[in-house]
Amino acid sequence: MAAAAEEPEGRRGRGPRPGPAPGSPAGRAVCEGSPGGGGRRVFSPAGEFREFSRRQLRDMERLFRQYDAGKDGFIDLMELKLMMEKLGAPQTHLGLKNMIKEVDEDLDSKLSFREFLLIFRKAAAGELQEDSGLHALARLSEIDVSTEGVKGAKNFFEAKAQAINEASRFEEEIKAEQEEKKKQAEELKQRKAAFKELQSTFTQ
């Protein structure tokens, strides 16, 4: 029996580097690979970034996907360059490299979705310099993070209480979304019934 075809030399032992699954909501777990495919870790945006609402996470994910031109789950230097130009805050080559470096935890010189979310976490916590590229990105993206999160908590207990409140609010948002979908389905059902009734009137 013929042996299975071997992978090309440059790809041997290296799997694809998964990012956010296409079409997946921000609340779903996301797989991210480490440089060289040597490891994979899963994180839940909604679980790890509890300071943001579901709507905010969806907006951030939408923005990330918009500029992930390669659709590989990462924003590289050239994609970030285009993003900053579109936002009206073009950066130098060195400036772009510094932007990535500030949140590039796995040192692969590009932004994963999780690292992209770190930009907004830092912005919400007031940890970005006002003249920095990341501050411009967070400000010009029109995603308001100024009133969210536990950044105003004075101590651990207040932070914990706020986290509980965040979880409750998160559940309320899910219920509200479900109610809205249920309402839309009911309206669609009523419109279909009215249309059928109208059709039967014309066919008599």
Side-chain angles (χ1 to χ4, degrees):
M1 184 180 295
E6 291 188 359
E7 295 182 12
E9 186 68 27
R11 291 293 304 164
R12 191 173 299 165
R14 298 173 61 184
R17 307 184 61 178
S24 65
R28 190 173 298 170
V30 175
C31 292
E32 291 189 344
S34 63
R40 178 183 297 180
R41 79 187 198 78
V42 179
F43 88 101
S44 166
E48 184 170 347
F49 293 85
R50 289 192 163 191
E51 61 264 49
F52 301 128
S53 67
R54 285 167 60 85
R55 181 180 298 276
Q56 286 172 318
L57 288 172
R58 283 198 302 270
D59 289 343
M60 293 172 196
E61 185 178 28
R62 192 177 302 115
L63 182 66
F64 182 87
R65 293 186 186 285
Q66 180 180 346
Y67 291 100
D68 176 18
K71 305 303 177 187
D72 59 353
F74 296 89
I75 291 180
D76 61 24
L77 189 137
M78 292 307 296
E79 290 167 339
L80 182 60
K81 178 178 183 291
L82 176 62
M83 181 180 189
M84 296 308 294
E85 289 173 352
K86 291 285 187 180
L87 291 175
Q91 304 289 311
T92 64
H93 184 78
L94 181 60
L96 292 166
K97 290 179 71 174
N98 287 335
M99 286 175 66
I100 293 175
K101 184 178 179 181
E102 189 165 348
V103 291
D104 186 18
E105 292 189 336
D106 55 9
L107 305 179
D108 61 355
S109 299
K110 51 188 173 182
L111 300 176
S112 66
F113 181 48
R114 181 181 181 280
E115 290 164 344
F116 187 71
L117 293 181
L118 289 176
I119 297 172
F120 295 95
R121 169 173 282 176
K122 286 176 174 286
E127 297 175 359
L128 299 176
Q129 295 183 1
E130 290 191 8
D131 60 348
S132 71
L134 291 185
H135 185 275
L137 188 160
R139 177 172 54 84
L140 296 172
S141 67
E142 298 183 354
I143 298 175
D144 183 16
V145 297
S146 59
T147 60
E148 300 295 332
V150 297
K151 64 174 184 174
K154 296 179 181 179
N155 55 50
F156 171 80
F157 297 104
E158 288 184 14
K160 187 174 181 179
Q162 264 192 322
I164 294 173
N165 290 336
E166 289 290 334
S168 298
R169 181 170 61 83
F170 198 77
E171 291 177 0
E172 289 174 2
E173 288 180 350
I174 293 176
K175 289 180 180 178
E177 287 180 4
Q178 291 174 339
E179 288 296 326
E180 182 64 24
K181 288 180 180 178
K182 186 177 179 181
K183 181 180 177 182
Q184 290 175 355
E186 185 63 31
E187 290 176 352
L188 179 62
K189 184 178 178 181
Q190 291 176 358
R191 284 198 298 270
K192 285 183 177 179
F195 181 71
K196 286 183 179 179
E197 185 176 343
L198 185 63
Q199 276 187 320
S200 63
T201 301
F202 282 109
T203 54
Q204 287 178 355

